[in-house]
Amino acid sequence: MTIDIKSMGYVRVASTDLDQWTTFAGKVLGLAAGRGPDPANQYWRIDEVSARLVVYPSDVDQLGCVGWELADHRALQEAREHLQKAGVEFEEGTKEELAERRVQELVRFSDPFDNVFELFHGITYESRPVVTPYAAKFVTGDQGMGHIVLPVTDDVEALRFYADVLGFRLRDSMSMPGEFVGKEPGSKVWLRFLGVNPRHHSLAFLPMPNPSKCVHIMLEVDELDHVGRALERVRKHRAPLSATLGRHMNDEMISFYVKSPGGFDVEFGTEGLTVDDARWVARESTAVSYWGHDFGAGAQ
């Protein structure tokens, strides 16, 4: 038995400058400003959930944690038992944390690489329909908020932990030369892409440490025009473009990447692949993208 994670539920980001996030999340990405219990925090909506992205004041700029949604109390109780058997230490969310996240229960733990995960259930959703500033509709539902790519130091241990302990399913792999990350010449390191629902991947990892504790977060919209308009807003607000428009091989997403005030990238895309686990076969892609995605874009 493994943990039955349904989707990526929310992301919490620590920030030294919330004004930068106001511009970036609202005017560049086109997220809808929400409301929340703590007036010091920013709460951003992309669907009926009360907040998918929460930005809170801090003395650092980095990913705080990622929350993974479970179905109900029974599923979370089974997750607690599974973590205990696997030797993973966890803590219960405090009454104040539950109120601020607007969830019924949560447990928090770190993976072997100090990435903080929260497992939760019972998040609130709003009667007020979400109205995004530029009329973009985000692809969520049973696919969750999007996907996240996290930095790790050991790709073998990462795959074991995420698959065997947390229950993620391998969807795709990509190898890169080991010398890219300080390993011996001729060796390989692996990027792995893992899923829990029809979205091709909800979690991936890159075997390379990163001070922002995140490589990128992906948000998906339902039309290519919304991607093009967002790209124009990137230029208008002079947000740092990290990669040009392109189409990925593995999940077929048409997207670009922009640097967030948190130091990590946000991938903004459309037309992501959905998969059926009963039929899916994990393979190794031989390139990042079919076309585009020039990651030297920021140097131009």
Side-chain angles (χ1 to χ4, degrees):
M1 189 188 79
T2 57
I3 296 171
D4 188 15
I5 293 171
K6 296 299 186 187
S7 69
M8 179 170 135
Y10 58 76
V11 168
R12 298 178 61 84
V13 176
S15 174
T16 61
D17 187 344
L18 269 72
D19 287 344
Q20 285 189 322
W21 275 99
T22 301
T23 301
F24 182 75
K27 296 188 184 307
V28 177
L29 299 181
L31 313 188
R35 293 178 287 214
D38 189 337
N41 296 353
Q42 291 182 359
Y43 300 90
W44 296 98
R45 291 181 64 191
I46 58 173
D47 60 6
E48 71 278 6
V49 173
S50 297
R52 291 290 196 176
L53 169 65
V54 178
V55 185
Y56 58 91
S58 175
D59 58 357
V60 293
D61 290 297
Q62 63 184 28
L63 178 71
C65 72
V66 55
W68 300 97
E69 187 162 22
L70 277 59
D72 51 24
H73 168 75
R74 177 181 290 179
L76 187 59
Q77 186 54 35
E78 289 174 352
R80 289 184 180 100
E81 294 166 8
H82 187 74
L83 290 171
Q84 283 175 331
K85 286 178 186 172
V88 178
E89 293 184 8
F90 62 88
E91 60 187 22
E92 298 288 332
T94 64
K95 184 178 177 183
E96 293 74 21
E97 287 168 342
L98 298 182
E100 200 273 329
R101 287 156 176 77
R102 290 172 283 189
V103 301
Q104 291 179 29
E105 289 183 279
L106 77 83
V107 299
R108 181 187 305 103
F109 61 94
S110 295
D111 72 3
F113 318 101
D114 202 33
N115 297 306
V116 181
F117 287 3
E118 293 179 352
L119 303 178
F120 71 91
H121 77 86
I123 199 165
T124 61
Y125 61 105
E126 302 290 327
S127 61
R128 211 164 33 91
V130 64
V131 180
T132 60
Y134 306 103
K137 185 177 179 185
F138 288 84
V139 177
T140 57
D142 60 0
Q143 296 188 52
M145 176 183 176
H147 76 233
I148 192 163
V149 183
L150 295 173
V152 302
T153 52
D154 182 338
D155 52 338
V156 176
E157 172 60 15
L159 182 59
R160 184 203 70 80
F161 184 82
Y162 297 145
D164 296 351
V165 178
L166 301 188
F168 285 88
R169 300 183 284 280
L170 182 65
R171 296 276 172 75
D172 203 77
S173 301
M174 196 171 77
S175 65
M176 56 191 270
E179 50 263 43
F180 282 12
V181 294
K183 307 270 186 185
E184 61 273 12
S187 65
K188 271 186 181 182
V189 291
W190 289 96
L191 287 71
R192 306 284 191 182
F193 301 85
L194 307 147
V196 287
N197 58 46
R199 191 181 290 284
H200 176 273
H201 60 278
S202 296
L203 172 68
F205 60 80
L206 182 69
M208 192 182 297
N210 183 317
S212 65
K213 301 187 77 171
C214 178
V215 180
H216 75 253
I217 293 165
M218 189 284 300
L219 299 174
E220 183 178 0
V221 288
D222 66 341
E223 292 179 10
L224 181 59
D225 284 348
H226 291 313
V227 177
R229 291 182 185 119
L231 196 50
E232 289 186 341
R233 297 194 300 271
V234 167
R235 294 194 187 101
K236 177 181 176 181
H237 294 283
R238 296 181 179 174
L241 190 68
S242 301
T244 58
L245 193 70
R247 188 192 281 273
H248 281 305
M249 270 191 77
N250 58 12
D251 68 353
E252 300 181 6
M253 189 80 70
I254 299 175
S255 62
F256 66 85
Y257 290 72
V258 60
K259 186 73 73 180
S260 78
F264 52 83
D265 286 341
V266 172
E267 180 185 4
F268 197 95
T270 193
E271 298 185 15
L273 184 67
T274 57
V275 306
D276 174 0
D277 272 307
R279 298 168 179 270
W280 186 253
V281 177
R283 291 178 173 170
E284 179 187 351
S285 54
T286 53
V288 172
S289 305
Y290 288 118
W291 55 267
H293 286 143
D294 175 7
F295 281 89
Q300 292 175 3

